[in-house]
């Protein structure tokens, strides 16, 4: 019985989890009072001034704000999301074709022929590909 409940818990949908976290954050806008600290410039840096906390007017997020936050968050982070999708797709293609492991083995063999150890940077760059692409 416990094993069945545990497997069900691990099968939670990622979007349900994200919406749940977002809903808790919206709820916190009603529960936690709003406030801010005054900032001062010290050596060209904006630093929080100690003992300057002031409560401000609270502006909790409503249901439409909850729904709009999903869209505005995706718009604000579109460049990062696109970058991750492109890099992930490229990495998946290189890994599926065996290129990652093949290049790593080629560079290791070249280093051995020259009597040198494999470059640590080479190992750091290709370690992820080596872990994923084990059939090479």
């Amino acid at each position: 019985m416990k094993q069945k409940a545990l497997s069900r818990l691990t099968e939670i949908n990622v979007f349900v989890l994200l919406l749940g976290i977002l809903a808790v954050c919206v709820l916190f806008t009603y529960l936690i009072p709003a406030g801010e600290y005054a900032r001062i410039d010290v050596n060209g840096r904006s630093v929080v001034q100690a003992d300057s906390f002031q409560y401000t007017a609270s502006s909790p997020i409503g249901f439409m704000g909850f729904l709009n936050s999903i869209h505005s968050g995706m718009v604000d982070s579109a460049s990062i999301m696109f970058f991750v999708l492109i890099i992930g797709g490229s990495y998946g293609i290189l890994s599926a074709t065996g290129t990652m492991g093949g290049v790593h083995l080629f560079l290791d063999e070249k280093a051995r022929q020259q009597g040198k150890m494999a470059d640590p940077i080479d190992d750091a760059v290709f370690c992820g590909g080596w872990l994923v692409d084990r059939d090479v």
Side-chain angles (χ1 to χ4, degrees):
M1 183 70 171
K2 288 182 182 180
Q3 197 173 40
K4 191 175 191 180
L6 182 61
S7 69
R8 186 174 184 173
L9 187 66
T10 59
E11 294 176 7
I12 189 167
N13 188 332
V14 68
F15 293 113
V16 172
L17 179 66
L18 289 173
L19 283 176
I21 292 171
L22 185 61
V24 168
C25 291
V26 167
L27 180 66
F28 282 160
T29 64
Y30 287 94
L31 300 177
I32 299 174
E36 66 182 355
Y37 284 93
R39 294 186 167 272
I40 56 174
D41 286 331
V42 176
N43 298 331
R45 289 179 48 205
S46 179
V47 181
V48 173
Q49 185 179 4
D51 300 329
S52 65
F53 181 80
Q54 296 288 324
Y55 288 103
T56 59
S58 181
S59 57
I61 298 174
F63 181 71
M64 290 306 291
F66 169 75
L67 294 177
N68 190 33
S69 66
I70 298 167
H71 175 266
S72 62
M74 291 178 78
V75 168
D76 291 344
S77 63
S79 62
I80 296 170
M81 291 170 56
F82 184 72
F83 176 74
V84 168
L85 288 173
I86 292 297
I87 295 299
S90 301
Y91 185 79
I93 291 170
L94 292 174
S95 182
T97 59
T99 305
M100 296 293 282
V103 168
H104 183 69
L105 292 175
F106 173 77
L107 293 175
D108 279 349
E109 185 61 32
K110 282 290 190 184
R112 278 193 210 103
Q113 287 175 359
Q114 294 177 1
K116 298 178 182 177
M117 284 181 46
D119 187 15
I121 295 173
D122 167 59
D123 289 341
V125 169
F126 288 103
C127 71
W130 186 255
L131 291 174
V132 173
D133 196 14
R134 296 174 190 221
D135 61 337
V136 174

